[in-house]
Amino acid sequence: MKNYLFLLLSLIAATIAQADEVHYDILLKNGLIVDGTGLPPYRADVALLDGKIAKIGDLGAYKASKTVDATGLVVAPGFIDLLCHNDLLWTLEAQERAIHSGVTSGLTGNCGFSVLDVDKNLTKIQKHHSMVNVGTLIGQGTLRDWFVKQNRQKPASPQEMAIMKLFLEGAVAAGAFGLSSGLGYEPGEWCEPAELENLASVLSKFPHAAYYTHIRNYRSNVLEAIKEALRVGETAKVPVVIQHLLFKLPSNWDQTESGLKLLEDARGRGEKVFATIYPYDFWGNEVQIPLAQFLYLPKDADRWAYYHDDDKSDLVLASIRKRLQEYGGGDKIEITHVHAKAFKSFLGFTVKDLARRRKISEEDAVLGLLLENAGDVKICYHGLSEEGLIKKIQAPYVLFGSDSSGSIPHPRDVGAFSRLLGTYVRDKRVIRLSEAIHRLTQEPADLLGLKDRGLLKEGYWGDVVVFDPATIKDNATAVSPYLEPTGMKMVLINGQLVYAAKEGFSGRYPGQVLRRSNE
């Protein structure tokens, strides 16, 4: 009888325990947790339920609809890309490229250009869904295009300023994370500092609103451009983010430390200042740029008839030689597109490689390349310093953004963060893995005021990436800019599996609209 009662009580207890046992949606087992705080990694299991991180720890006894063995893999928060452009809002291809690099949230509307009606646009995205979480800025260039119709190259009138400030306030109140400027483009280049400061002052009314700027110059006047951006933030009393901080051309590489010192000094004064970078030694508009345009050659310099007069040939060769010297030599100019089949084997070569192969001077190699391809030649210019890039990566206030754009194909669109983790964390050991993840996750989340993203933490949204730290790397090049990276095993967004290396994309669209919060 006693044995019977004991068995009955045991059965009842087991039944109650089974009824109370949580059945998770996804269980990631035995991964190396890099939680986003910057603290050292540790081994644990991660369980997701109803879109959020439900539990972290030793979860050996728990069950889930999908269990993943993450042994030997890093489990981290999804990456937040602070520098996207509007194509991320619309195209499936752009979102897939972002996910391949571990991006789960993207901030669009950068460099001065955005949609005008932020609330309408975000509502539309929420209705039609996306794979990634999407937030936006409001572009200063967009505001100026709409509301400064007369004397466009002169300062905005008081009436025009009042209208722009009203629209900016409405956009930020509706959820925009701040104002972006593109001072290297029309109409931003016509905007004087006083106009920027006046406009940015609106942001001080709103928590987590910041001024994100493509500064006025990245070449010889880059230090003055940085100072201008910092003055806007100081005067308007708002955080400043200098997007894709670059020091272009070899003649300006030695200004890297001085530029970073300006940011450090501003932070020392108590200002909230950041910069973003992407880990490449070449930038966007010199990927796939026509060679004749890049060298500022005469309009007809790619035609044989132009050279019937030897003097013209000599002038062009002298011009090419001067440009090559200015750009640091032919070893920095990569051939990415040619018309003639005979030159296809030279794709990915530098001008220096081509000259050596043909046993001629670099300027003769360039001229021959143009003439024999009827001018249909495109190049990539490696005009940034690797040493300077490493210094920027090591600066703790430098965050990361892909600068992804469908209009200018660049390897960064699909490989930026894989390159950071593979080349600069694992191979070159420029910074620790936990530090890189911290600046891809918690730091940008804090900047944006996202209270429940950016960390692997119970109760946070289930934006999670799983990657192999031994194999993660970028594969895209200037010649083949969309080759998928290696090593990203799994991407989950809001607790749903969006991508797995073996199965591909799941067809789910769990992305949410991100709006600035007043909390």
Side-chain angles (χ1 to χ4, degrees):
M1 186 65 177
K2 289 182 179 179
N3 290 338
Y4 175 76
L5 288 173
F6 177 77
L7 289 172
L8 181 61
L9 290 172
S10 298
L11 180 62
I12 292 170
T15 302
I16 293 172
Q18 187 174 6
D20 290 342
E21 183 179 300
V22 178
H23 187 87
Y24 295 111
D25 296 328
I26 298 175
L27 184 58
L28 306 173
K29 296 284 295 179
N30 199 36
L32 184 66
I33 307 300
V34 183
D35 63 7
T37 62
L39 295 174
Y42 62 94
R43 298 203 176 278
D45 307 328
V46 178
L48 297 101
L49 179 66
D50 296 333
K52 296 197 173 183
I53 298 169
K55 200 169 185 64
I56 301 174
D58 183 357
L59 309 179
Y62 290 90
K63 304 294 182 183
S65 299
K66 183 178 181 62
T67 300
V68 177
D69 181 6
T71 301
L73 304 177
V74 168
V75 180
F79 306 153
I80 299 173
D81 188 348
L82 286 174
L83 182 51
C84 307
H85 292 280
N86 280 340
D87 53 356
L88 185 62
L89 297 176
W90 310 117
T91 69
L92 175 64
E93 293 81 4
Q95 293 189 56
E96 288 182 347
R97 289 195 290 269
I99 289 168
H100 275 303
S101 201
V103 173
T104 58
S105 299
L107 183 65
T108 64
N110 277 285
C111 298
F113 302 103
S114 70
V115 295
L116 181 66
D117 191 333
V118 167
D119 185 50
K120 180 179 179 181
N121 193 56
L122 293 179
T123 300
K124 179 179 179 181
I125 296 169
Q126 187 68 63
K127 179 180 179 181
H128 294 286
H129 302 292
S130 62
M131 283 196 290
V132 299
N133 305 311
V134 177
T136 190
L137 303 166
I138 178 74
Q140 177 266 338
T142 297
L143 291 171
R144 219 174 191 278
D145 265 341
W146 274 85
F147 301 117
V148 180
K149 298 297 187 182
Q150 303 294 326
N151 301 318
R152 292 170 60 83
Q153 297 187 31
K154 294 184 178 180
S157 69
Q159 294 80 9
E160 290 166 337
M161 280 303 309
I163 294 173
M164 287 193 291
K165 291 172 74 172
L166 184 65
F167 265 79
L168 172 58
E169 185 167 350
V172 178
F177 287 93
L179 174 72
S180 77
S181 68
L183 305 182
Y185 313 113
E186 298 177 2
E189 64 181 341
W190 304 327
C191 185
E192 296 181 356
E195 184 176 320
L196 288 170
E197 293 164 8
N198 192 357
L199 203 55
S201 67
V202 172
L203 303 175
S204 63
K205 303 177 182 179
F206 300 94
H208 316 301
Y211 173 57
Y212 295 74
T213 179
H214 171 128
I215 58 177
R216 203 173 294 275
N217 191 297
Y218 292 100
R219 298 179 186 241
S220 57
N221 293 320
V222 61
L223 298 183
E224 286 304 314
I226 292 172
K227 291 176 184 177
E228 178 188 19
L230 297 178
R231 281 194 296 269
V232 171
E234 185 176 13
T235 303
K237 296 180 173 56
V238 295
V240 172
V241 182
I242 297 177
Q243 296 287 42
H244 48 61
L245 179 60
L246 306 170
F247 298 87
K248 295 183 176 181
L249 298 181
S251 58
N252 300 307
W253 288 354
D254 61 356
Q255 299 190 68
T256 302
E257 289 186 3
S258 299
L260 292 175
K261 181 72 162 49
L262 290 173
L263 273 66
E264 291 168 7
D265 290 346
R267 290 172 67 87
R269 296 191 297 270
E271 297 173 35
K272 196 171 184 179
V273 174
F274 297 92
T276 66
I277 60 169
Y278 47 79
Y280 294 88
D281 69 352
F282 51 97
W283 62 92
N285 58 357
E286 263 81 15
V287 177
Q288 311 290 6
I289 192 171
L291 179 55
Q293 177 184 332
F294 178 74
L295 295 171
Y296 299 97
L297 294 181
K299 184 176 180 180
D300 295 326
D302 53 2
R303 299 181 182 179
W304 285 106
Y306 186 84
Y307 299 98
H308 285 176
D309 183 342
D310 289 341
D311 288 343
K312 290 183 177 180
S313 178
D314 290 341
L315 286 172
V316 170
L317 285 169
S319 176
I320 293 173
R321 188 181 307 113
K322 179 181 177 182
R323 292 293 179 187
L324 290 175
Q325 291 172 349
E326 176 186 351
Y327 294 138
D331 60 323
K332 292 180 173 57
I333 300 175
E334 179 184 357
I335 303 164
T336 59
H337 168 84
V338 291
H339 177 76
K341 290 182 179 180
F343 282 83
K344 297 291 184 183
S345 62
F346 292 116
L347 292 177
F349 277 43
T350 65
V351 165
K352 184 176 182 178
D353 295 331
L354 179 62
R356 184 183 294 120
R357 181 69 64 90
R358 304 188 88 181
K359 298 180 179 179
I360 54 179
S361 69
E362 291 184 0
E363 57 266 31
D364 280 320
V366 169
L367 184 56
L369 193 61
L370 286 167
L371 293 176
E372 294 172 59
N373 286 274
D376 187 10
V377 180
K378 294 181 180 179
I379 59 95
C380 164
Y381 174 53
H382 294 261
L384 303 175
S385 163
E386 172 73 1
E387 181 183 353
L389 174 58
I390 288 173
K391 289 177 181 177
K392 288 184 286 184
I393 291 174
Q394 291 175 327
Y397 46 83
V398 169
L399 307 178
F400 304 103
S402 68
D403 200 18
S404 59
S405 169
S407 61
I408 306 174
H410 192 295
R412 67 192 180 204
D413 291 9
V414 69
F417 304 136
S418 300
R419 181 175 177 81
L420 174 69
L421 296 173
T423 299
Y424 294 99
V425 172
R426 181 192 61 235
D427 298 341
K428 297 190 176 184
R429 299 185 179 184
V430 170
I431 54 172
R432 295 177 297 111
L433 174 63
S434 56
E435 173 67 15
I437 297 298
H438 173 63
R439 287 197 262 149
L440 283 167
T441 58
Q442 186 183 29
E443 280 276 22
D446 286 350
L447 173 65
L448 296 170
L450 303 177
K451 303 298 184 184
D452 48 10
R453 299 186 194 272
L455 291 174
L456 287 185
K457 186 175 179 180
E458 293 177 7
Y460 274 46
W461 285 102
D463 297 341
V464 182
V465 295
V466 181
F467 64 88
D468 185 348
T471 63
I472 193 163
K473 60 173 290 195
D474 66 315
N475 296 310
T477 67
V479 176
S480 301
Y482 293 145
L483 290 177
E484 297 173 9
T486 302
M488 187 60 64
K489 300 300 183 183
M490 190 171 290
V491 178
L492 299 98
I493 298 177
N494 297 313
Q496 295 190 42
L497 180 61
V498 172
Y499 169 79
K502 292 182 179 179
E503 294 84 15
F505 288 92
S506 67
R508 297 185 178 93
Y509 292 81
Q512 296 181 4
V513 161
L514 304 177
R515 294 180 187 258
R516 187 200 56 80
S517 168
N518 287 323
E519 297 179 1

